[in-house]
Amino acid sequence: MPMPLTLNTSNRPYVGRFAPSPSGALHFGSLIAALGSYLRARSLGGQWLIRIEDIDPPREIKGAADDILRTLEAYGLEWDGAVLYQSQRTEAYQAQIDSLLAQNKAYFCQCSRKQIQAMGGIYDGRCHRLLQAHTFGAVRIVNTAQVQEFDDNLMGHICVDTPFAAEDFIIKRSDGLYAYQLAVVLDDAYQGITEVVRGCDLIEASCRQLSLYQTFGLTAPEWLHLPLACLTPGFKLSKQNHAQAIDKQHPQASLNAALAFLGQRRVEQHACAAKMLEQAVDQFQLSTIPQQSEILIEP
Ligand code: GLU
């Protein structure tokens, strides 16, 4: 039986976003997330923002952020306002960490990967129980909220394992880099995002993010996770497995392929991609997006 699909129920005007990491060019998988979030936002008359998640320099490819923006433009995916770069937001991340540490809502941990593996892969909180607390290392949240379930606007009710939901996860890495979970929550709140639309690979991460919203006393967005494009079961198309960059010169074919992937009707081929998107926005139907976490595609 199909799930009832809810629309945004909050009173806030709809604000959506696409938040790519500049670790390579846009590929078909990231086009799905960009297009899905764009169509959802525009079909509800909402705003669509861009955030470049550039807080992991070792994984960053020089020039990728600009290339991603030029590709979005070539696909007619016009965003509202200025692009937010996470690299400009580190003061806010550090201020949050300092405040959590001062309130004993976070703590330093020096356990190695090997030690955590020996705990069964889920951290057991031992550094929080030390009589003499560490003063450096990775920073972990004291996860009192332990959110285990939520309702996804496409995938329905989502429930994760108790140990995963209860873990004191890392919010700042031992190498000094801010963790994705911390940055994404602070920035989605800062940008006033009302619904996060992204790939299903991050569906479980939403529980961790909801735990942070509760701990920080911030209003959480709604969630809508899209199916992932996979070449083989369990392996999403990604920059890591060398997914091909989408064609900036000829966006028409990829646009229609991405629409078909999202269960949407084809649009008329047009020299101007923005024109094609107009029709796609008019035709957009949430209820025809497949409620599957992954869909196999041809290489
Ligand atoms: N930056 C993440 C990525 O490129 C997406 C994060 C998100 O949408 O929450 O996979």
Side-chain angles (χ1 to χ4, degrees):
M1 207 174 70
M3 288 278 176
L5 298 170
T6 52
L7 286 180
N8 183 279
T9 49
S10 67
N11 299 322
R12 300 187 283 165
Y14 190 98
V15 185
R17 51 72 156 181
F18 175 54
S21 306
S23 51
L26 280 193
H27 51 78
F28 187 71
S30 34
L31 176 63
I32 302 291
L35 182 65
S37 58
Y38 176 90
L39 293 176
R40 172 75 165 159
R42 295 302 191 215
S43 67
L44 293 171
Q47 284 189 290
W48 188 66
L49 311 184
I50 298 291
R51 181 171 71 238
I52 299 287
E53 302 210 317
D54 55 347
I55 44 162
D56 194 350
R59 293 186 58 195
E60 199 169 323
I61 303 274
K62 213 170 168 286
D66 275 347
D67 184 62
I68 290 171
L69 297 176
R70 299 296 81 79
T71 308
L72 293 173
E73 281 169 352
Y75 277 71
L77 293 160
E78 283 197 16
W79 58 90
D80 294 299
V83 173
L84 182 70
Y85 290 83
Q86 287 195 320
S87 54
Q88 308 288 309
R89 293 266 302 145
T90 51
E91 270 177 37
Y93 306 152
Q94 190 56 48
Q96 184 69 51
I97 300 238
D98 291 342
S99 143
L100 291 167
L101 286 168
Q103 297 173 75
N104 197 24
K105 289 182 177 173
Y107 59 93
F108 288 105
C109 166
Q110 294 179 355
C111 292
S112 64
R113 233 170 254 245
K114 221 169 153 182
Q115 280 174 295
I116 294 161
Q117 252 166 23
M119 297 170 204
I122 296 279
Y123 186 64
D124 64 6
R126 66 181 64 170
C127 288
H128 193 210
R129 296 190 293 269
L130 294 175
L131 286 179
Q132 185 114 43
H134 293 307
T135 50
F136 64 93
V139 180
R140 289 181 182 273
I141 189 81
V142 179
N143 187 358
T144 43
Q146 305 188 3
V147 175
Q148 196 169 0
E149 48 196 323
F150 69 98
D151 287 314
D152 186 273
N153 286 339
L154 179 65
M155 297 292 167
H157 192 69
I158 302 299
C159 188
V160 301
D161 291 347
T162 308
F164 175 83
E167 187 179 33
D168 287 350
F169 54 89
I170 288 179
I171 52 174
K172 186 175 182 184
R173 292 162 26 177
S174 58
D175 59 7
L177 296 178
Y178 298 95
Y180 157 70
Q181 309 289 6
L182 176 87
V184 75
V185 164
L186 291 179
D187 289 346
D188 279 333
Y190 174 71
Q191 293 188 286
I193 304 302
T194 58
E195 184 183 60
V196 168
V197 179
R198 61 186 175 197
C200 258
D201 51 331
L202 291 166
I203 202 161
E204 295 195 340
S206 305
C207 281
R208 298 202 150 176
Q209 291 164 29
L210 279 165
S211 290
L212 292 185
Y213 280 101
Q214 269 193 33
T215 307
F216 301 167
L218 295 169
T219 305
E222 297 193 22
W223 313 92
L224 194 164
H225 288 85
L226 301 167
L228 294 176
C230 294
L231 290 172
T232 49
F235 290 94
K236 70 161 187 164
L237 207 57
S238 73
K239 293 157 194 164
Q240 284 71 41
N241 61 30
H242 310 292
Q244 242 188 328
I246 45 170
D247 186 350
K248 272 207 276 290
Q249 263 68 49
H250 308 97
Q252 291 80 1
S254 306
L255 262 184
N256 260 323
L259 285 169
F261 182 93
L262 289 170
Q264 305 300 303
R265 278 164 44 212
R266 285 183 64 83
V267 293
E268 276 164 54
Q269 198 91 344
H270 206 287
C272 167
K275 270 256 170 299
M276 293 175 69
L277 283 183
E278 264 174 43
Q279 192 187 346
V281 169
D282 287 346
Q283 292 178 179
F284 178 70
Q285 279 196 37
L286 179 60
S287 59
T288 55
I289 302 180
Q291 287 175 299
Q292 276 166 254
S293 56
E294 54 182 58
I295 297 177
L296 291 185
I297 56 161
E298 300 286 322

